[in-house]
Every structure is written in C-alpha cells, then in structure tokens.
C-alpha cells in the first residue's frame, strides 16, 4: 500500500494493524488535557521511514506527513511509497492543477520560526495534497482527508 491509501483507514483495520506490526510502531494518544475543547487525536511516527500519521477522535487516518528531506530526527521518505506525484517546484504544482480535476491554492514567502516557507495545495473534494517548499526546494508533502482549514 502507498501512504495515500491509508487516508480514511480505521486504526484497527487490517491494513493499519499490518503497518503497525511490520514497522513495530506505537500509537500515541493525545487528549484535551487543558479543557480547550480540542478533539482527541492519535499519532503514529515512523522516523526511519520518513512519515507521520495523524488520526482523528474516531481513530481514522486524516493526515499523513511525508518528509522529503530529513528533519527533526525523521529520515527522508522513500518517494515511491507516497502514492502521489512528486512535484518538485511551486510551478510544477500549479501546472499539475491545470491537468487534474482539482482546486489549486497557494501562499508564498511565509515567515515561520525563522524560516521562509511557501506552499501549494491541490484539493480533490475531501482530499488534498499539500506541498511545502523552503528556498524553492520541496521539503514535505502532507496528504489530507476531510481537512477543513482554508
């Protein structure tokens, strides 16, 4: 299975159990300990394989972070396991949106924690592929399902 294929899967599905067991991964449960109204979530990190998964309060995979370059103790992902086109530049994402049945959105030159980042997103109904760039280079692809932020 490709990482994109895990979107929407239940934590206790055969596919997720196989992934967890094959890679000896732990599921970290996070709850609203500060009573801020935040929903519970579950997180899975495979630092050696270069990805993280976030599951919602219903234990469904909603987000997969694919690290194109190593960062914060997480290795670079094998691009072959992602399952979406690897678009290596902002312009590549924009051009891809012209040939796919999707919505394109973007933002460039965002200053965040001393870094200057840009992103381009392709939205396919309830799913989205979010490409993040730094210094013009692709650094992360985030795969999302039922993502409602702008």
């Amino acid at each position: 299975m490709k990482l994109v294929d895990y979107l929407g899967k239940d934590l206790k599905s055969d596919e997720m159990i196989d992934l967890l067991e094959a890679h000896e991964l732990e599921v970290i449960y996070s709850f609203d300990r500060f009573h801020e109204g935040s929903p519970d979530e579950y997180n899975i990190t495979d630092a050696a394989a270069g990805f993280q998964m976030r599951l919602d309060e219903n234990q469904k995979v909603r987000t997969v972070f694919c690290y194109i370059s190593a960062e914060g103790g997480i290795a670079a992902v094998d691009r072959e396991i992602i399952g979406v086109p690897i678009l290596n530049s902002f312009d590549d994402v924009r051009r891809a949106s012209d040939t796919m049945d999707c919505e394109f959105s973007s933002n460039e030159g965002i200053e965040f924690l001393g870094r200057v980042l840009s992103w381009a997103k392709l939205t396919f109904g309830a799913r989205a592929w979010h490409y993040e760039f730094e210094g013009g280079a692709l650094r992360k692809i985030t795969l999302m399902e039922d993502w409602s932020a702008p």
Side-chain angles (χ1 to χ4, degrees):
M1 266 179 87
K2 304 289 187 180
L3 292 173
V4 70
D5 298 324
Y6 288 98
L7 289 173
K9 295 287 182 199
D10 290 312
L11 176 60
K12 296 176 186 173
S13 68
D14 290 339
E15 297 90 351
M16 288 299 295
I17 297 297
D18 289 347
L19 176 70
L20 294 169
E21 289 179 352
H23 294 258
E24 299 179 7
L25 301 175
E26 292 183 5
V27 178
I28 307 299
Y29 170 63
S30 301
F31 61 95
D32 184 14
R33 67 182 75 231
F34 298 112
H35 307 288
E36 296 174 332
S38 300
D40 295 351
E41 66 182 28
Y42 302 80
N43 293 284
I44 299 167
T45 299
D46 191 335
F51 69 87
Q52 294 178 301
M53 293 180 168
R54 181 162 296 144
L55 293 80
D56 67 11
E57 66 275 10
N58 298 312
Q59 300 183 356
K60 291 190 179 291
V61 178
R62 295 299 180 207
T63 310
V64 181
F65 302 98
C66 307
Y67 292 81
I68 301 301
S69 54
E71 179 180 319
I74 299 177
V77 70
D78 175 355
R79 294 172 179 223
E80 294 296 316
I81 70 168
I82 299 173
V84 302
I86 308 302
L87 304 171
N88 289 303
S89 74
F90 194 87
D91 288 334
D92 287 347
V93 181
R94 185 185 318 275
R95 279 191 294 275
S97 72
D98 293 337
T99 62
M100 298 178 173
D101 187 20
C102 65
E103 184 179 320
F104 174 81
S105 56
S106 65
N107 200 346
E108 295 183 77
I110 305 160
E111 292 187 33
F112 181 72
L113 299 174
R115 301 168 97 165
V116 179
L117 306 173
S118 297
W119 60 264
K121 183 174 66 166
L122 302 176
T123 303
F124 306 86
R127 288 197 173 182
W129 307 339
H130 185 274
Y131 295 81
E132 186 176 306
F133 302 91
E134 182 174 17
L138 179 63
R139 65 180 290 271
K140 186 189 302 181
I141 299 173
T142 304
L143 312 171
M144 299 171 280
E145 180 172 277
D146 292 337
W147 188 70
S148 59

